Amino acid sequence: MTDDAPVGSRLLAGFRVVECSMLGPGAVSTPLADLGADVIKVEPPGGDYIREMSWPIVRGDSLLHLHISRGKNSIVLDLRTEAGRDIFLELVAGADVVIEAMRPGGLDRRGLGFERLKEVNPRVVLFTISGYGMTGPYRDLPSHGIAYDAWAGTVAPVSGPEGLPSIPDHTSIGITAGPLYGTAAILAAVLRARETGAGCHLEVAQSDASAAFDWLRSEGHRAYERPADEVTGNPSDDLERRAPGTAGMADGVRYQFYASADGHILFMASEQKFWKNFCSAVGRDDLYETRPGAHLADHARGDLWLRRELVDVFRQRTTAAWIELGLAHDVPIGPVNTPATIVEDPQFGERMPWQSAERLGADQLPFPVRVVGEGPPAAGGRAPAVGEHAEEILRDLLGYDEARIEALRTAGAFGAT
């Protein structure tokens, strides 16, 4: 029901999803659509206002909508009406998955909860994605994406105008990790349903996903609650129990950012063998001889003399030259990009070819997993206008004739005319 996509992996051809979503949580079905699933986005009268949210707005549609809703097919159904609910249930009867991407209980309040869905399709998987989940004191708390990262401790206030607390530039974890965890669970649940004939109701909170994604820090703090003779730091730190995550990295020397001749690099020679390779490659065996360090996980923290020496070394070559040295001498050195500069990186150009604005409304990145030997999966088509595919869905998928469609329109199934 979408335009012909470029050659790519359609691993989920024949896999059908019925999605009821508002705003960002609809991203849970975007990977499924990218992989070839038929995703039917059921929108309320007036449509999902994702089209107007966030920035930038590209020819009247938000990039958020153009990205999250790409490759999906839209139909408007007023689920407050019996006629609208009947159509919805007919769609569910032939679906593998129903996605409820809104505050928990939205479908249940319309008489379309899991028990009702099972009556028309015992194998259906209902997947609910929400901000704080279906349980807990925050269940009904309205929220937006950054709330889940602030809750999980992955983003914190910085000093803004006049010293007031401000939101920093950051990577949104919860609204991305929640859909990806959800996609994995959906595929597992559908496999089980096909084996057993019984579906299930899954749910994920984007807040939970943000916390789970940051597991190393939270589990690290938890581990340090145990006795000091039971849980220690690294041997290279003399077993010092420095805080989890990147704590102490500001003082790191052999694992640190350095300015190159034209930008920055990230140096990561925390293993002794890599440190030795580097010193030999730059003609500074004296650094290794005087500072051989520990066998593993040695960042040479606080060694300001060595840090100043390395500052002088790294400013002598361009970032590209340092990457070439790393490849030639087996030294872990990485380029430092921004969201604006990464597009010029040759690794990005090789692995993440843009999907064009001519086809999708805005230049967009591809799904980042591919079948070896093939190009990355290509989005099936541009994000839909409100109700754009209604006629196709009703006529071609459900087999309605024009008289029946008109009768349903009169009954208000598609909202007020």
Side-chain angles (χ1 to χ4, degrees), residues 57-61 357 361-362 382:
I57 302 294
V58 184
R59 298 189 182 94
D61 282 325
R382 182 185 174 121

Side-chain angles (χ1 to χ4, degrees), residues 57-86:
I57 302 294
V58 184
R59 298 189 182 94
D61 282 325
S62 71
L63 180 60
L64 189 66
H65 169 62
L66 292 173
H67 183 96
I68 287 177
S69 303
R70 68 191 190 193
K72 300 179 184 180
N73 304 286
S74 171
I75 183 172
V76 171
L77 293 178
D78 190 342
L79 299 181
R80 297 168 298 182
T81 68
E82 183 177 358
R85 290 191 293 270
D86 287 345

Side-chain angles (χ1 to χ4, degrees), residues 174-187:
I175 64 171
T176 303
L180 290 177
Y181 283 124
T183 298
I186 284 170
L187 295 176

Side-chain angles (χ1 to χ4, degrees), residues 225-238:
E225 292 177 3
R226 303 188 69 82
D229 61 352
E230 184 178 329
V231 179
T232 70
N234 289 327
S236 62
D237 289 334
D238 295 325

Side-chain angles (χ1 to χ4, degrees), residues 81-408:
T81 68
E82 183 177 358
R85 290 191 293 270
D86 287 345
I87 297 172
F88 183 84
L89 290 171
E90 284 201 58
L91 292 172
V92 170
D96 294 286
V97 182
V98 173
I99 291 176
E100 177 186 40
M102 57 185 75
R103 291 197 207 181
L107 288 179
D108 218 9
R109 288 189 292 272
R110 292 161 176 81
L112 297 169
F114 184 52
E115 295 304 317
R116 181 69 182 101
L117 301 185
K118 284 196 301 181
E119 292 176 9
V120 299
N121 184 351
R123 297 197 316 172
V124 74
V125 172
L126 174 61
F127 180 82
T128 298
I129 180 170
S130 60
Y132 293 107
M134 294 176 63
T135 59
Y138 300 164
R139 176 186 185 277
D140 296 317
L141 186 64
S143 56
H144 285 299
I146 192 175
Y148 320 127
D149 300 333
W151 175 86
T154 63
V155 61
V158 298
S159 180
E162 299 183 9
L164 298 171
S166 296
I167 298 172
D169 188 23
H170 65 284
T171 299
S172 295
I173 295 175
I175 64 171
T176 303
L180 290 177
Y181 283 124
T183 298
I186 284 170
L187 295 176
V190 170
L191 285 175
R192 190 179 76 171
R194 290 180 174 179
E195 178 74 21
T196 66
C200 63
H201 187 181
L202 304 167
E203 70 114 351
V204 68
Q206 291 170 99
S207 54
D208 294 350
S210 186
F213 204 79
D214 194 36
W215 65 269
L216 183 58
R217 290 196 300 171
S218 56
E219 290 181 18
H221 281 287
R222 182 77 167 180
Y224 277 155
E225 292 177 3
R226 303 188 69 82
D229 61 352
E230 184 178 329
V231 179
T232 70
N234 289 327
S236 62
D237 289 334
D238 295 325
L239 307 183
E240 175 191 344
R241 286 164 54 122
R242 57 167 152 155
T246 57
M249 296 302 288
D251 297 327
V253 177
R254 280 170 42 189
Y255 204 121
Q256 191 56 267
F257 289 120
Y258 287 95
S260 67
D262 62 351
H264 288 84
I265 59 91
L266 177 61
F267 185 51
M268 300 164 284
S270 55
E271 294 95 333
Q272 192 177 60
K273 67 173 184 177
F274 291 141
W275 173 232
K276 185 176 183 179
N277 290 349
F278 171 77
C279 293
S280 176
V282 298
R284 292 297 305 270
D285 290 309
D286 59 302
L287 296 180
Y288 180 78
E289 291 166 2
T290 58
R291 302 284 204 281
H295 180 57
L296 293 173
D298 193 337
H299 300 157
R301 286 194 303 149
D303 190 339
L304 292 180
W305 176 85
L306 180 58
R307 192 164 182 174
R308 285 190 288 268
E309 290 292 313
L310 292 180
V311 165
D312 290 338
V313 169
F314 280 116
R315 66 162 57 114
Q316 296 171 18
R317 308 187 194 202
T318 65
T319 295
W322 283 119
I323 302 306
E324 290 177 8
L325 180 142
L327 289 168
H329 297 277
D330 195 27
V331 178
I333 300 176
V336 179
N337 291 311
T338 70
T341 65
I342 191 173
V343 297
E344 304 301 328
D345 190 293
Q347 179 75 9
F348 182 92
E350 172 70 22
R351 299 281 303 178
M352 299 291 283
W354 288 104
Q355 301 184 90
S356 71
E358 286 71 21
R359 201 170 67 84
L360 298 182
D363 291 332
Q364 297 180 34
L365 298 177
F367 186 77
V369 180
R370 65 186 71 182
V371 177
V372 175
E374 299 182 17
R382 182 185 174 121
V386 180
E388 178 180 345
H389 304 94
E391 296 286 331
E392 294 175 63
I393 293 168
L394 296 172
R395 184 180 60 247
D396 300 340
L397 183 60
L398 299 182
Y400 292 5
D401 59 24
E402 295 302 324
R404 186 173 182 184
I405 294 173
E406 186 56 37
L408 289 166

